[in-house]
Structures are given as C-alpha cells and as structure tokens.
Amino acid sequence: MKTLKIAIQKSGRLNEKSVELLKNCGLSFENYKSSLISPVSNFPLEILFLRDDDIPEYVQDGIADLGIVGENVIQETEVKVSYLQRLGFGRCSLKIAVPNTYDIKSIAELNGKSIATTYPVILGKFLKQKDIKADIRTISGSVEISPGLGLSDAICDLVSTGGTLKSNGLKPFADVMSSEAVLIGRSGSEDEELVKELIQRIQSVLRAKETKYVVLNVHKDNLKAVTALLPGVKSPSVVPLAEEDWVAVHTVIPERDFWDRISQLKQAGAQGIVVMPIEKIIL
Ligand code: PRT
Ligand code: ZN
C-alpha cells in the first residue's frame, strides 16, 4: 500500500499546532526535534519536518503529498498546489505599516516611497493592483526595525497581536492579505483514498473544536421552548429523569454563539447546565 508523506514546519509558530492536529486525528508518531522524518505507526503516513518556506515546493514537486503551511508562504512562493482544508490556526494579516509620526491619509501617498518586506511578490502584486509605484526593499528578517534605521519609509509584514509594530513605533495602515494555516496537496490529490480519509479525520477534529457538548435539565412544560433554541447535529436527545416531569436534554452548541445560547436557555427554564469539550464529530 502507498505511504503518504505530509510536510509540516519543523520548528516555529505552526509546528506545535500542526503536531497537535495530527495527534488529535489519532495518528501515532514521535516528534523528535532532531529527526527530519517520522513514521506514523497506525496509518500509512510519514511526517516530514521542514522549514515552512520549502513546504509548498515540496508538495508541488511531489516530494510530499500534503503539507501544512501558512497561505502567505504559498502566495509568496507562487507554486501550483490545491487548497484542501483551512485549519483555523496561525491566523495573521500581512499589513503595510508606517511610523506613528507619519500622518498618512491615503494609500496613494506610498507612490515613490520605499517599503521593506520579506514578501516582495505579494506586496508587488498588491501595489500593482492599486497602481502604486513604490520601491520594494526585500530583506530577510527584522523588517520592523527598518524605518527606525532609515532603511525604508514603511514596512509590509505579518501582524498578529500588533505588539511588534507598537513596540517599534509603527502603526498599521493597509491590509494586504489575511492568512491562516492550510492543508495543501498536489492538484488532484484530493481524489486519492488515503488523502480523503485524512481530510475526513481533520474535518471531524475541526468540527469538534467549534462545538461544545451540552447536557441540561428542564421541566417538561419548558421542553419545547428549550429545544427550539437547540439545533444539535440532527436534533437534541431527550432522556427522562428520576424526578417526575423532568428531562435531561443532550445536544451540541456552536462555540461562536455559546454564551448567547446559554443565557437564552436559562431564561427558557434550563437548569443544571453541564458543558463538555468534544473530541471528534464524525458525520
Ligand atoms: O524556520 P521557518 O522558516 O520554518 O519559520 P519562519 O521563521 O519563517 O516562520 P514563523 O515560525 O515565524 O511563522 C510561520 C507562519 O506562522 C507564518 O508563515 C505565518 O503564516 C504564521 N504567523 C502567524 C506568523 C505570525 N502569526 C506572526 N505574528 N508569522 C510571523 N509572525 C511574526 C511577524 O513577522 C512579526 O515579526 O510575528 C511578528 C508580529 O507579531 P505580533 O504578535 O507582535 O503582531
Ligand atoms: Zn520561513
């Protein structure tokens, strides 16, 4: 049987979450920092640990079947790969930022200015689209210190909390792209059985993350009002309780509207609400 190869970041911001995701998919493997390749003992898969910049090309060239990498890296390397699944971690935005002292009003003011970045391809396309002719200075790191050193008027870099910009006296000015970690494969690889199986496992873990398992007690008189608030995967399960006229309702609730839903349920007569994390949801 064929053994798949998936490339993930060896160390850095995406490593831990990528390993966690694969482990949550039930894959059993060692995560030695020193090894470049780790076999999975209970699925025909090998994990390649690489620098993130190399992952898109490895997948494009077929050295790896799959990869987990930030969209920003895929766009910058301009490779041809398929996006198989957004993964919901490693979220950040590529932004143009200028010194706090620079009272910039419109993006057109960047005409003739210099912008330091490690993302010349993405920035170049963005500026072209906006019809702006700026001098893109490609540097390999520590972009945020470049205006302070007089190397550029502005920067274009990834931002997540905004702390780095702030501590370097910079303010975000324009959004170039937003990014998150994605699962990529060669075009057409989504039709392969093993790839399909792995994508299904990943999706069941992601779905579970987005939902909570809720058990609550309610008097039969209020059951209709309570169940009307609960979508569930299909519909909520209702179990009789020892106390007459009371039932327990079991269901799942989306994380995003969790607190709103809980207060509505309490108002509708729900009591003793117990909330639990879900490991996987297989549809
Ligand atoms: O060694 P290797 O080449 O594999 O790693 P790397 O150093 O190139 O990348 P790494 O580990 O820093 O980031 C990997 C991926 O994480 C990126 O390609 C993005 O997809 C994603 N990501 C998410 C980020 C950030 N958030 C982020 N904040 N990548 C980098 N940053 C940096 C940013 O460049 C800036 O220096 O963090 C700083 C800003 O952070 P805040 O929180 O202060 O705004
Ligand atoms: Zn890198």
Side-chain angles (χ1 to χ4, degrees):
M1 193 197 245
K2 184 185 165 173
T3 298
L4 284 183
K5 291 191 177 72
I6 183 166
I8 67 171
Q9 194 187 23
K10 183 173 168 59
S11 62
R13 288 169 191 263
L14 302 184
N15 166 269
E16 207 175 296
K17 287 273 169 61
S18 305
V19 168
E20 185 187 300
L21 175 67
L22 296 177
K23 295 239 166 178
N24 286 340
C25 286
L27 302 175
S28 184
F29 60 93
E30 300 295 341
N31 184 21
Y32 298 126
K33 289 276 171 232
S34 56
S35 71
L36 286 178
I37 186 158
S38 192
V40 172
S41 61
N42 56 356
F43 194 85
L45 180 70
E46 282 175 341
I47 299 171
L48 309 183
F49 295 94
L50 303 173
R51 285 204 58 188
D52 66 347
D53 315 72
D54 297 332
I55 293 175
E57 270 186 38
Y58 269 55
V59 172
Q60 175 186 254
D61 299 347
I63 298 162
D65 303 277
L66 300 166
I68 294 180
V69 69
E71 286 172 286
N72 51 303
V73 178
I74 304 169
Q75 302 281 326
E76 186 62 27
T77 45
E78 294 187 296
V79 292
K80 284 203 169 52
V81 289
S82 309
Y83 280 48
L84 304 180
Q85 179 67 48
R86 309 182 80 79
L87 299 174
F89 61 86
R91 287 208 173 99
C92 54
S93 317
L94 188 63
K95 290 182 192 271
I96 296 175
V98 295
N100 289 329
T101 48
Y102 183 2
D103 185 22
I104 186 164
K105 298 242 163 29
S106 100
I107 196 151
E109 288 177 47
L110 291 172
N111 261 310
K113 296 282 193 298
S114 56
I115 309 173
T117 190
T118 52
Y119 293 93
V121 173
I122 302 174
L123 177 62
K125 285 182 184 163
F126 175 82
L127 294 175
K128 196 169 174 204
Q129 208 180 26
K130 303 270 175 204
D131 207 18
I132 289 162
K133 290 193 175 56
D135 173 18
I136 298 175
R137 306 228 161 126
T138 307
I139 57 176
S140 58
S142 304
V143 175
E144 63 280 357
I145 60 173
S146 121
L149 294 176
L151 292 173
S152 69
D153 300 304
I155 68 161
C156 173
D157 198 13
L158 295 174
V159 178
S160 48
T161 62
T164 304
L165 290 184
K166 215 172 192 179
S167 59
N168 285 279
L170 300 167
K171 58 183 179 189
F173 171 66
D175 285 338
V176 177
M177 80 171 281
S178 56
S179 174
E180 70 181 274
V182 289
L183 177 74
I184 54 167
R186 249 170 304 117
S187 338
S189 64
E190 57 271 34
D191 297 326
E192 291 172 29
E193 280 313 310
L194 281 177
V195 174
K196 271 194 209 163
E197 160 80 27
L198 199 59
I199 293 175
Q200 270 171 20
R201 287 198 193 191
I202 289 175
Q203 287 174 342
S204 76
V205 172
L206 296 177
R207 264 196 297 270
K209 253 199 177 151
E210 289 161 8
T211 40
K212 298 276 180 227
Y213 192 87
V214 176
V215 181
L216 56 88
N217 296 336
V218 63
H219 190 276
K220 274 183 179 162
D221 291 350
N222 296 325
L223 181 59
K224 238 188 173 161
V226 164
T227 50
L229 295 166
L230 299 171
V233 172
K234 269 215 171 84
S235 59
S237 317
V238 179
V239 184
L241 289 180
E243 196 173 331
E244 213 181 318
D245 291 334
W246 281 80
V247 289
V249 176
H250 293 233
T251 193
V252 296
I253 292 186
E255 171 99 74
R256 75 190 116 75
D257 54 17
F258 178 75
W259 287 111
D260 285 347
R261 232 15 112 78
I262 292 291
S263 62
Q264 287 167 358
L265 287 168
K266 277 165 84 177
Q267 278 169 18
Q271 294 183 8
I273 305 173
V274 177
V275 181
M276 287 164 276
I278 301 175
E279 198 174 302
K280 293 178 186 66
I281 297 183
I282 298 147
L283 294 179

